[in-house]
Amino acid sequence: MSDFRLRVFQSVANNLSFTKASQELFVSQPAITKHIQELEAYYQTRLFDRQGSKISLTKSGELLLKHSEKILDDYKQLEYEMHLLHNEYIGELKLGASTTAQYVLPPLLAEFIAKFPQVNLSLINGNSRGVEAALQEHRIDLGLVEGIFRLPNLKYTPFLQDELVAVVHTHSKLAVSDEITPEDLPNIPLVLRERGSGTLDVFERSLLHHNLKLSSLNVLMYLGSTESIKLFLEHADCMGIVSIRSVYKELVAGNFRVVEIKGMPMQREFNFVQLQGQEGGLSQVFMRFAGHHRKSL
């Protein structure tokens, strides 16, 4: 029911790209351009400054973005509440999951879709900071992230406990025992997640408790996903820091072994994250559903 031109404008504004908006909305680029031109004609103002291949929002564009985000959110909530009057759960729910949280969500998504088949569900992945940015840009409705940093304009709801572990491949030539101390870490080659990931946040905070800095470690590589770390460990004689949930199958199969870092627990929580003041609708339905199915994860 919502004005599709506003959705087009929001996508172009958030991506600062007509091409990316076209890909995101599955609409041709000429159609995207036409919608923006119609909005500019209607409001008799330019919404974007164009400098070569780059675009940026004008002051008029910034104002329209502020209001269009609220209008589109209100349309989504209206659709949800109108159908709820008939006990129907219908609407669109856009989820975002940090790279590690994607090991948790898929089983829940399958069960949720089975129970609520008329909900249009989608999922994007990124690191924790990327998921939080997507929330602030209204590209998703609900995120699942890990880590320790909190942004003041977002609401975090604890969901599930997790633990980071140090692992090496069983065929690695790295001479490291099954138990080490934090003081041993600078002498061990490591592969870690990238800046902005909740995994690195937690590991770095744990190091500080032992007066160790990331810069003092022998980090061979920072990688953008846990799967990349696992593949790297298969071909390099080093140690990785990952979620225990992400290597469960490999540990059972005997492909990896855990190296205990004595006196350095790396516990953390997965948290649902939302924009402050937007805690209702299908996001709340999904969070309640996930809470009831938490024990099976």
Side-chain angles (χ1 to χ4, degrees):
M1 178 180 171
S2 61
D3 190 333
F4 186 68
R5 290 178 302 177
L6 289 182
R7 290 187 61 193
V8 169
F9 168 73
Q10 184 185 54
S11 182
V12 175
N14 286 332
N15 289 293
L16 291 178
S17 167
F18 284 76
T19 302
K20 288 181 180 178
S22 172
Q23 294 167 347
E24 186 173 88
L25 297 175
F26 303 101
V27 176
S28 70
Q29 195 164 329
I32 295 286
T33 301
K34 181 173 181 291
H35 284 304
I36 297 301
Q37 288 173 341
E38 288 174 350
L39 282 171
E40 290 181 327
Y42 181 80
Y43 289 113
Q44 297 184 332
T45 184
R46 284 186 302 106
L47 300 173
F48 296 97
D49 281 325
R50 297 160 177 82
Q51 297 175 337
S53 60
K54 294 183 179 181
I55 63 171
S56 60
L57 282 167
T58 62
K59 287 187 177 180
S60 299
E62 290 173 356
L63 179 63
L64 183 59
L65 179 60
K66 176 183 174 182
H67 285 282
S68 65
E69 286 172 343
K70 185 178 186 304
I71 291 166
L72 291 171
D73 284 341
D74 285 345
Y75 269 128
K76 187 179 293 185
Q77 188 67 17
L78 172 63
E79 181 182 24
Y80 167 74
E81 291 184 15
M82 289 297 286
H83 286 293
L84 201 58
L85 292 174
H86 308 287
N87 292 317
E88 296 176 330
Y89 288 87
I90 297 175
E92 183 180 30
L93 179 59
K94 295 180 180 179
L95 301 172
S98 65
T99 311
T100 305
Q102 66 180 308
Y103 292 98
V104 175
L105 272 187
L108 285 174
L109 298 181
E111 294 183 40
F112 187 83
I113 289 173
K115 185 171 181 179
F116 304 105
Q118 291 181 288
V119 174
N120 182 11
L121 201 61
S122 61
L123 174 68
I124 66 167
N125 291 315
N127 64 30
S128 293
R129 301 296 86 79
V131 170
E132 290 164 340
L135 265 176
Q136 293 173 313
E137 294 170 2
H138 293 255
R139 290 189 285 118
I140 60 173
D141 306 303
L142 177 68
L144 184 62
V145 299
E146 78 280 351
I148 50 178
F149 295 117
R150 301 286 184 268
L151 297 178
N153 62 330
L154 299 180
K155 179 182 178 182
Y156 297 82
T157 304
F159 171 53
L160 197 66
Q161 293 292 323
D162 187 37
E163 179 186 6
L164 297 184
V165 292
V167 294
V168 295
H169 199 274
T170 49
H171 297 310
S172 173
K173 297 175 183 177
L174 183 67
V176 59
S177 62
D178 289 340
E179 184 178 283
I180 62 173
T181 67
E183 290 69 33
D184 294 324
L185 285 171
N187 303 317
I188 299 172
L190 297 171
V191 56
L192 302 174
R193 285 290 309 280
E194 82 290 359
R195 288 283 182 190
S197 69
T199 300
L200 191 64
D201 292 345
V202 173
F203 180 57
E204 197 166 6
R205 179 65 64 91
S206 298
L207 288 173
L208 289 175
H209 288 310
H210 294 272
N211 296 315
L212 290 169
K213 293 183 178 180
L214 202 57
S215 58
S216 69
L217 304 185
N218 178 17
V219 182
L220 297 183
M221 184 76 68
Y222 292 95
L223 292 172
S225 74
T226 303
E227 289 302 309
S228 297
I229 288 179
K230 287 156 64 173
L231 286 171
F232 191 87
L233 289 171
E234 289 182 18
H235 302 282
D237 298 323
C238 63
M239 188 170 76
I241 306 294
V242 295
S243 164
I244 187 71
R245 295 176 181 276
S246 69
V247 288
Y248 177 76
K249 291 181 180 178
E250 288 82 0
L251 292 173
V252 171
N255 295 326
F256 286 129
R257 65 181 174 92
V258 171
V259 176
E260 182 183 350
I261 307 176
K262 193 174 181 181
M264 187 173 151
M266 294 182 283
Q267 304 288 337
R268 64 176 176 183
E269 281 183 330
F270 287 113
N271 292 279
F272 282 116
V273 56
Q274 305 163 274
L275 286 172
Q276 291 280 10
Q278 294 187 0
E279 295 93 1
L282 286 173
S283 294
Q284 211 66 29
V285 173
F286 185 83
M287 288 171 61
R288 285 199 300 268
F289 180 88
H292 292 149
H293 291 76
R294 170 169 37 202
K295 291 181 181 179
S296 64
L297 298 174

